């Protein structure tokens, strides 16, 4: 009898991520997995993007909020009328595909064109877990310091775009946007680097432009 | 034959942490495990504390630097003449007791009174791994936002002290130090909250005072 040898067995998380991806595809949703340190400003740049999209009568953004505890971020978006589901990981440092799979039926998929999954604030672990997304992005604030890309490269390596947030505080830091961008592109030459200020709104239109173009390209590629 | 039932089996990490602790005890070293998000300013507040300790001819601080990649933080301290060992976790999101155990023989224990282990920048995972330390502390910067304690309570729950850093940027944020302190103390009523600015040096003397007192109390408790 021949012994069967299996290699490259898919891990449980990847199997579930593929199932999520099928669900998203079926509903025509582009899904973005948003990574960043605690306090980098992920929720704030999302709020600003929702405002710009509404002014343009453009993309409708829906959100899955991942947090260890509390539903504060989801409440902020809910108050804006954004369709949002909160996942509390209860201690886990990242979202995984199973957690996403469990909330799919609660998503108001008919009310959104793009689903942004705001991951747990953590620049390290979430990068290792596929959720079924079409792409990853990172939010990095200038107040975190210039050396973060080289010290935590994985999230940036796997991202399509990085928002460099809190540029309104740039003058109070030792950070050079040029150095930051140079180091980011050294890690990932195809990364789109988008400086913004969630506080003043500067640059938010650029990130919405990028998001619109990304969704257009994805829709074209599906035809 | 009687079946032996084992419960409360110590996990591997805890066994190794105890071994590390014995080593530190033997060398009379007080060990502090320093936690915080990427860019919260852990290395900077350490640099400033070393300067104050030298002015006072006080505690000699040694450091183990934990980073996923690079030796930038260790180089900063080495340039100041601080005895320092760098651990690169190569992707792991936290230090564990085995990593610490492997570098014990490289520590210049005769050149330090306190060993600060600067953990990987991550407000989540490192809190779950004992290294053999005497106490934990956290560094939180005001630019991370007021809601971080309630969203990431575990690290604060396990800390003896929390440095609230970057107070020089407070006026540019929506953060109230009072709210931050109230939320921190709700999580951990015995937490010592120490506002500082790594940039201007404000409050650094308070954190050195706390460290000196903590080491004195620990030495007294050993007699």
């Amino acid at each position: 009898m021949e012994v069967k040898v299996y290699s490259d067995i898919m891990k449980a998380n990847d199997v579930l991520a593929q199932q999520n991806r099928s669900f998203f595809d079926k509903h025509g949703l582009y899904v973005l997995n948003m990574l960043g340190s605690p306090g980098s400003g992920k929720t704030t740049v999302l709020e600003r993007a929702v405002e710009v999209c509404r002014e343009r009568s453009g993309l409708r953004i829906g959100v899955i909020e991942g947090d260890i505890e509390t539903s504060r971020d989801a409440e902020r978006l809910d108050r804006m009328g954004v369709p949002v589901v909160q996942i509390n990981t209860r201690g886990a440092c990242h979202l995984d595909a199973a957690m996403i799979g469990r909330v799919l039926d609660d998503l108001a998929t008919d009310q959104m064109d793009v689903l942004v999954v705001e991951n747990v604030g953590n620049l390290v672990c979430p990068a290792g877990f596929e959720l079924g997304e079409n792409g990853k992005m990172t939010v990095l604030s200038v107040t975190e310091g210039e050396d973060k890309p080289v010290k935590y490269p994985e999230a940036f390596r796997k991202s399509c775009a990085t928002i460099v947030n809190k540029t309104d505080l740039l003058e109070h830091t030792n950070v050079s946007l040029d150095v930051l961008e140079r180091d980011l592109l050294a890690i990932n030459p195809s990364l789109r680097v988008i400086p913004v200020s969630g506080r003043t709104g500067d640059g938010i239109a650029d990130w919405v432009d990028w998001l619109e173009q990304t969704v257009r390209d994805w829709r074209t590629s599906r035809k």
Side-chain angles (χ1 to χ4, degrees), chain A residues 3-219:
Chain A
V3 177
K4 286 188 183 170
V5 178
Y6 294 91
S7 58
D8 294 330
I9 299 291
M10 281 187 80
K11 291 188 185 142
N13 187 73
D14 291 333
V15 172
L16 296 176
Q18 277 202 348
Q19 292 175 10
N20 295 345
R21 179 68 163 268
S22 299
F23 176 94
F24 298 137
D25 277 346
K26 199 178 75 183
H27 291 86
L29 275 182
Y30 181 87
V31 180
L32 198 56
N33 184 358
M34 185 185 256
L35 315 176
S37 298
S40 55
K42 296 181 290 300
T43 313
T44 302
V45 299
L46 257 175
E47 288 173 325
R48 295 294 86 77
V50 165
E51 289 164 1
V52 170
C53 287
R54 284 175 179 172
E55 284 163 19
R56 296 182 183 182
S57 305
L59 292 172
R60 297 169 307 160
I61 297 177
V63 177
I64 294 177
E65 275 296 334
D67 280 297
I68 295 177
E69 301 196 17
T70 82
S71 56
R72 289 191 177 203
D73 290 350
E75 286 159 20
R76 284 168 60 179
L77 292 159
D78 181 63
R79 277 195 291 274
M80 297 179 72
V82 173
V84 58
V85 174
Q86 175 84 49
I87 298 175
N88 275 168
T89 65
R90 300 282 173 218
C93 55
H94 59 270
L95 292 171
D96 67 26
M99 299 179 194
I100 299 295
R102 235 171 284 136
V103 305
L104 293 180
D105 288 340
D106 295 315
L107 289 176
T109 52
D110 55 330
Q111 293 170 39
M112 56 183 86
D113 306 301
V114 175
L115 173 66
V116 179
V117 182
E118 188 187 326
N119 222 308
V120 176
N122 182 331
L123 197 49
V124 185
C125 317
F129 291 82
E130 296 292 315
L131 306 178
E133 70 269 19
N134 299 94
K136 289 183 177 66
M137 65 169 294
T138 21
V139 180
L140 173 70
S141 60
V142 298
T143 48
E144 293 171 59
E146 202 173 74
D147 57 353
K148 293 306 156 298
V150 294
K151 289 178 67 183
Y152 304 89
E154 192 61 9
F156 302 102
R157 198 173 285 137
K158 291 186 171 172
S159 288
C160 315
T162 291
I163 287 179
V164 178
N165 191 24
K166 306 193 189 179
T167 52
D168 53 302
L169 296 180
L170 196 58
E171 59 178 314
H172 305 290
T173 70
N174 305 319
V175 172
S176 151
L177 274 189
D178 289 341
V179 171
L180 207 51
E181 182 159 4
R182 183 198 67 195
D183 287 351
L184 284 166
L185 294 177
I187 291 164
N188 178 354
S190 64
L191 190 73
R192 176 70 193 281
V193 180
I194 310 169
V196 315
S197 165
R199 170 165 263 243
T200 68
D202 272 4
I204 296 294
D206 298 329
W207 115 252
V208 174
D209 288 346
W210 171 82
L211 187 60
E212 287 177 346
Q213 185 62 49
T214 301
V215 173
R216 262 198 304 274
D217 291 347
W218 172 73
R219 285 177 177 161

